[in-house]
């Protein structure tokens, strides 16, 4: 598989051309994504759709129907439910209880939710600890084509083993089986898990500032942005959070070089959980 | 000083080799060393410490967007792919496993070769699958130096053998020879 993807040539000028096309035809801004991973996602899309080369991708993108497929084929998968089980245990035992002491309901923002792994992990956590109704989850995607109600929570079989193994490390007394049903070619997460979840679009470049969130779970999202966008996101997150709100990013990510890094205190260095300071 | 970058890939049986190599490099070793090693997903701590024990050079797991600096050893973090970005920084990724692995050896080699071209010294060590074979080929394609650990010496020969099948490597070396070679750069 890797040979196919890598043999496809995409140069810097190509990236510029596709950025222009996506902007003019679909009002989608892709200039601020990290270059290498962006290229790989484009190559993957070309490979999945058997397009052969970049030129064919450009031609195909003139069709709005294909654009929806393109968006889904190039979206990043967080890839695992309960990724870094220690993080989810920290959320369960420290962060959420702390927030519930201060606030009656917790507004959680999960930006660029992609494969919805983080949404389901949080929903299961909340359900198990009895505060499912006290958490409002707002999951956003950069484009409407990425919000597909009929497909959310539907996963390939190969994902089940990893999800279950992670879950066991998160809660060795729990039973993951109760949260899904087996389907023909995979499994589907129970729809009741999404009862407190709202989906909408949000584009950091264009949309108005959200606010009043108590918790932002943006783990392994900043990886895919370039430094500029990474910086802008952190500023956005600082404005979106209430005082004493929490920001969770990926364990190998950092906000230390961002202009608004001082607005946060790193309270858990292992799991990269930050608390928003006063101001 | 001519710029170079050392990229080492390995899996089962490579840990001892890497620690031996790192223990025999001088503290003022002039080039960055990237370690793309298969590792247990959930073991996020301890591997860097174990590698650091006898290493003359600092060993770190890079953060996303961290600069690649000479004389430092960078270990691909658990459950992330480690790319080399055009800006000579690290770009991490949580994309799907490649050759059943994340970190994927191929990805570090491919992106390293693309950015550093003939400056790459690529080394494939002992391992149980073919990850890295294609990556080493890319190093060759871009004009870098390609080395595999001598299969006769390897705990598991699959990885270096696959690499040799994918491309005519420049050197088949024992651990001692690899150490000598790196010290001579």
């Amino acid at each position: 598989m890797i040979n196919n993807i890598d043999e496809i040539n995409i140069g810097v000028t190509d990236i510029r051309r596709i950025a222009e096309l996506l902007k003019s035809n679909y009002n989608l801004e892709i200039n601020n994504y990290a270059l290498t991973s962006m290229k790989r996602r484009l190559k993957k899309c070309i490979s999945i759709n058997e397009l052969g080369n970049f030129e064919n991708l450009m031609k195909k993108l003139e069709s709005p129907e294909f654009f929806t497929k393109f968006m889904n084929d190039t979206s990043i998968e967080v890839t695992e439910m309960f990724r870094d089980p220690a993080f989810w245990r920290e959320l369960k035992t420290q962060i959420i209880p702390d927030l519930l002491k201060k606030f009656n309901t917790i507004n959680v923002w999960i930006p660029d939710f992609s494969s919805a792994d983080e949404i389901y992990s949080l929903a299961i956590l909340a359900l198990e600890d009895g505060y499912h109704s006290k958490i409002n989850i707002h999951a956003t995607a950069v484009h409407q084509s990425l919000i597909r109600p009929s497909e959310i929570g539907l996963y390939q079989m190969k994902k089940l083993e990893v999800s279950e193994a992670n879950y066991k490390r998160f809660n060795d007394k729990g039973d993951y089986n109760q949260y899904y049903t087996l389907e023909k070619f995979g499994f589907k997460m129970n729809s009741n898990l999404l009862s407190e979840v709202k989906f909408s679009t949000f584009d950091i470049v264009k949309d108005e500032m959200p606010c009043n969130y108590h918790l932002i779970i943006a783990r392994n999202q900043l990886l895919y942005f370039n430094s500029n966008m990474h910086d802008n996101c952190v500023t956005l997150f600082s404005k979106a959070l209430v005082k004493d709100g929490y920001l969770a990013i990926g364990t190998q990510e950092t906000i230390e070089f961002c202009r608004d890094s001082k607005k946060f205190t790193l309270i858990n260095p292992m799991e990269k959980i930050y608390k928003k300071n006063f101001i | 000083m001519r710029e170079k970058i050392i990229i080492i890939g390995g899996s089962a049986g490579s840990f001892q080799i890497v620690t031996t190599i790192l223990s025999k490099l001088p503290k003022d070793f002039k080039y960055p060393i990237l370690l793309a090693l298969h590792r247990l997903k959930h073991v996020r701590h301890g591997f860097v410490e174990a590698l650091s024990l006898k290493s003359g050079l600092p060993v770190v797991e890079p953060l996303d967007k961290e600069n690649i600096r000479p004389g430092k050893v960078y270990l691909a973090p658990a459950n992330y792919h480690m790319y080399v970005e055009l800006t000579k920084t690290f770009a991490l990724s949580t994309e799907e496993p490649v050759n059943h692995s994340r970190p994927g050896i191929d990805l570090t080699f491919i992106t390293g070769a693309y950015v550093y071209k003939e400056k790459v010294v690529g080394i494939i060590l002992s391992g149980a699958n073919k990850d890295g074979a294609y990556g080493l080929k890319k190093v060759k394609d871009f004009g870098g130096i390609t080395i595999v650990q001598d299969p006769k010496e390897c705990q598991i020969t699959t990885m270096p053998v696959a690499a040799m099948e994918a491309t005519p490597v420049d050197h088949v070396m024992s651990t001692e020879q690899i150490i000598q070679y790196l010290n001579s750069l």
Side-chain angles (χ1 to χ4, degrees):
Chain A
M1 182 66 176
I2 187 160
N3 295 18
N4 293 337
I5 294 177
D6 191 67
E7 295 300 343
I8 299 165
N9 284 316
I10 300 184
V12 173
T13 354
D14 294 329
I15 301 287
R16 231 175 275 144
R17 286 172 57 209
I18 195 170
E20 270 165 34
L21 185 151
L22 291 169
K23 180 90 177 107
S24 61
N25 289 25
Y26 306 107
N27 205 18
L28 182 76
E29 184 68 65
I30 67 157
N31 276 318
N32 282 309
Y33 287 99
L35 196 55
T36 297
S37 55
M38 163 107 273
K39 273 196 202 175
R40 277 192 61 78
R41 299 209 303 283
L42 293 174
K43 289 180 185 188
K44 193 178 107 179
C45 177
I46 291 169
S47 174
I48 288 173
N49 293 286
E50 295 179 336
L51 296 172
N53 59 42
F54 180 77
E55 287 309 319
N56 290 339
L57 175 64
M58 288 290 284
K59 284 192 203 107
K60 207 76 174 157
L61 275 171
E62 285 169 22
S63 135
E65 290 81 47
F66 181 74
F67 174 71
T68 301
K69 182 139 206 311
F70 168 81
M71 288 303 284
N72 284 287
D73 289 344
T74 56
S75 74
I76 304 297
E77 302 266 308
V78 169
T79 71
E80 291 177 25
M81 231 163 277
F82 292 101
R83 182 187 159 110
D84 302 311
F87 163 78
W88 294 97
R89 279 202 311 276
E90 182 71 8
L91 206 63
K92 172 192 167 79
T93 58
Q94 304 296 327
I95 308 299
I96 305 242
D98 179 63
L99 286 170
L100 284 173
K101 277 195 213 111
K102 300 194 185 94
F103 308 105
N104 284 326
T105 54
I106 303 176
N107 299 325
V108 185
W109 182 21
I110 299 180
D112 279 334
F113 67 88
S114 299
S115 60
D117 290 289
E118 313 265 85
I119 301 175
Y120 284 111
S121 304
L122 182 61
I124 289 171
L125 188 162
L127 201 61
E128 289 184 350
D129 286 8
Y131 44 71
H132 199 226
S133 56
K134 293 191 180 171
I135 297 199
N136 297 323
I137 301 174
H138 190 193
T140 62
V142 72
H143 196 273
Q144 190 59 41
S145 59
L146 293 168
I147 302 174
R148 299 172 300 160
S150 59
E151 315 234 353
I152 279 200
L154 188 57
Y155 299 111
Q156 292 187 325
M157 213 37 145
K158 63 182 178 183
K159 198 179 169 80
L160 186 54
E161 196 182 323
V162 173
S163 303
E164 213 147 16
N166 285 350
Y167 173 80
K168 267 271 167 284
R169 282 175 184 259
F170 162 73
N171 177 9
D172 60 0
K173 296 186 181 59
D175 177 18
Y176 191 68
N177 291 332
Q178 65 187 303
Y179 299 119
Y180 67 89
T181 53
L182 287 173
E183 300 276 309
K184 201 168 183 189
F185 296 113
F187 65 104
K188 183 140 174 50
M189 301 300 288
N190 297 345
S191 44
N192 72 317
L193 290 169
L194 299 182
S195 62
E196 309 302 324
V197 184
K198 281 194 184 58
F199 294 92
S200 67
T201 58
F202 181 80
D203 188 337
I204 181 180
V205 180
K206 291 188 270 130
D207 293 338
E208 240 178 60
M209 202 68 70
C211 57
N212 298 330
Y213 289 105
H214 305 98
L215 171 63
I216 297 176
I217 300 179
R219 305 180 73 235
N220 300 312
Q221 307 283 1
L222 300 170
L223 301 177
Y224 302 104
F225 302 148
N226 65 13
S227 301
N228 195 37
M229 178 110 130
H230 180 141
D231 203 354
N232 291 342
C233 275
V234 173
T235 295
L236 177 70
F237 293 156
S238 73
K239 294 189 175 138
L241 281 172
V242 302
K243 175 186 176 281
D244 292 342
Y246 291 96
L247 168 65
I249 60 175
T251 55
Q252 291 300 121
E253 294 179 308
T254 185
I255 66 165
E256 60 189 298
F257 303 113
C258 300
R259 73 179 85 90
D260 284 318
S261 61
K262 295 279 189 306
K263 301 224 160 100
F264 295 93
T265 305
L266 180 61
I267 55 138
N268 189 318
M270 295 262 194
E271 307 305 331
K272 292 290 170 56
I273 304 173
Y274 296 83
K275 198 171 196 181
K276 184 181 160 183
N277 301 328
F278 190 40
I279 324 171
Chain B
M1 171 190 112
R2 262 180 320 151
E3 194 186 7
K4 281 196 197 299
I5 185 166
I6 319 299
I7 310 181
I8 302 177
S11 182
S14 65
F15 173 73
Q16 261 314 113
I17 314 297
V18 173
T19 45
T20 306
I21 292 173
L22 292 180
S23 72
K24 298 273 173 64
L25 295 176
K27 281 192 169 53
D28 61 352
F29 188 74
K30 295 197 279 291
Y31 313 108
I33 300 175
L34 273 46
L35 301 177
L37 305 177
H38 289 168
R39 53 187 296 181
L40 293 171
K41 180 170 97 174
H42 290 293
V43 179
R44 283 163 45 193
H45 310 288
F47 198 0
V48 150
E49 289 78 355
L51 286 171
S52 296
L53 268 175
K54 296 206 182 124
S55 171
L57 303 166
V59 184
V60 299
E61 283 156 330
L63 296 176
D64 178 56
K65 299 185 179 71
E66 186 167 331
N67 287 314
I68 299 174
R69 296 213 186 284
K72 233 166 160 174
V73 183
Y74 298 97
L75 173 70
N79 216 9
Y80 284 94
H81 292 303
M82 183 171 78
Y83 299 156
V84 174
E85 193 58 274
L86 279 161
T87 40
K88 296 193 175 161
T89 56
F90 289 102
L92 300 182
S93 166
T94 56
E95 289 161 286
E96 63 267 15
V98 165
N99 297 308
H100 310 291
S101 304
R102 187 171 56 220
I105 300 172
D106 271 338
L107 294 174
T108 306
F109 275 71
I110 292 169
T111 54
Y114 184 75
V115 173
Y116 284 86
K117 301 195 169 30
E118 77 285 351
K119 303 183 179 92
V120 177
V121 174
I123 306 174
I124 292 288
L125 305 175
S126 166
N129 76 3
K130 298 182 176 178
D131 197 10
Y134 183 78
L136 196 67
K137 175 183 181 312
K138 281 288 138 194
V139 171
K140 183 102 183 164
D141 290 345
F142 279 101
I145 302 290
T146 53
I147 300 171
V148 298
Q149 184 186 3
D150 193 339
K152 288 195 223 86
E153 204 198 47
C154 285
Q155 212 174 96
I156 302 179
T157 62
T158 315
M159 203 167 268
V161 166
M164 288 194 287
E165 280 168 6
T167 194
V169 303
D170 297 301
H171 306 288
V172 178
M173 288 176 161
S174 66
T175 309
E176 265 314 306
Q177 290 171 319
I178 291 173
I179 291 168
Q180 270 173 35
Y181 179 82
L182 291 174
N183 276 301
S184 75
L185 288 174

